């Protein structure tokens, strides 16, 4: 979710979840899961909000958020780009594809989101498409047998859809 009004609406929904789970044994995890779904991440602001509302320490929430891979500490982009760097993809040139992705996405680092909030770039170990190496997924859509020259057109198509 974006900041401002949308986030404020998210906190209203989250308050309902907190009321249901506050004081319940094991209630923090489902509240955090709902926060992730509603707000889009468990960033510092959300962590502070949950700590106060659930009467737990910030360290406890941060510990859970960094232990479980389902949580993200930063908002994700509209398009999740996952490039495979597994063995089959790597030997077929996925590092060159990654370099081009980073160039097309204004230098964004792996694991980060572009400044415009459109793309989050992740490197994965295998997406199960070894026969299409090198391969990537964008919001579940598979792109295979990639060359660096394919990347500008793919990214531009997603920018047009945004």
């Amino acid at each position: 979710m974006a900041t401002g009004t949308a986030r404020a609406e998210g906190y209203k929904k989250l308050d309902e979840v907190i009321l249901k789970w506050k004081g319940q044994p094991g209630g923090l995890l489902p509240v955090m899961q709902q926060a992730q779904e509603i707000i889009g991440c468990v960033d510092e602001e959300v962590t502070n909000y949950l700590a106060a509302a659930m009467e737990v320490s910030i360290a406890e929430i941060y510990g859970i958020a960094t232990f479980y891979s389902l949580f993200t500490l930063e908002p994700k982009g509209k398009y999740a780009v996952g490039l495979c760097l597994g063995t089959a993809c790597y030997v077929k040139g996925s590092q060159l594809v990654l370099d081009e992705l980073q160039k097309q996405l204004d230098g964004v680092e792996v694991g980060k989101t572009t400044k415009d909030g459109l793309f989050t770039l992740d490197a994965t170990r295998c997406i199960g498409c070894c026969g299409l190496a090198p391969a990537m997924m964008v919001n579940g859509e598979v792109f295979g047998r990639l060359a660096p020259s394919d990347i500008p057109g793919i990214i531009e198509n997603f920018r047009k859809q945004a």
Side-chain angles (χ1 to χ4, degrees), residues 37-79:
E37 188 173 314
I38 294 167
I39 305 293
C41 65
V42 183
D43 60 11
E44 184 178 356
E45 179 182 292
V46 173
T47 297
N48 291 335
Y49 188 85
L50 291 178
M54 295 291 290
E55 298 177 356
V56 298
S57 72
I58 291 169
E60 184 175 356
I61 294 171
Y62 182 77
I64 292 169
T66 55
F67 179 78
Y68 292 104
S69 63
L70 68 107
F71 294 113
T72 178
L73 302 177
E74 296 180 10
K76 295 290 185 181
K78 180 175 182 176
Y79 301 110

Side-chain angles (χ1 to χ4, degrees), residues 24-38:
Q24 298 288 332
L28 182 56
L29 191 57
V31 169
M32 289 178 64
Q33 289 172 314
Q34 287 296 305
Q36 173 83 25
E37 188 173 314
I38 294 167

Side-chain angles (χ1 to χ4, degrees), residues 7 133 137 141:
R7 196 167 253 231
M137 291 179 74
E141 183 179 348

Side-chain angles (χ1 to χ4, degrees), residues 131-148:
L132 298 175
M136 75 175 177
M137 291 179 74
V138 180
N139 287 7
E141 183 179 348
V142 176
F143 296 85
R145 296 186 180 93
L146 293 169

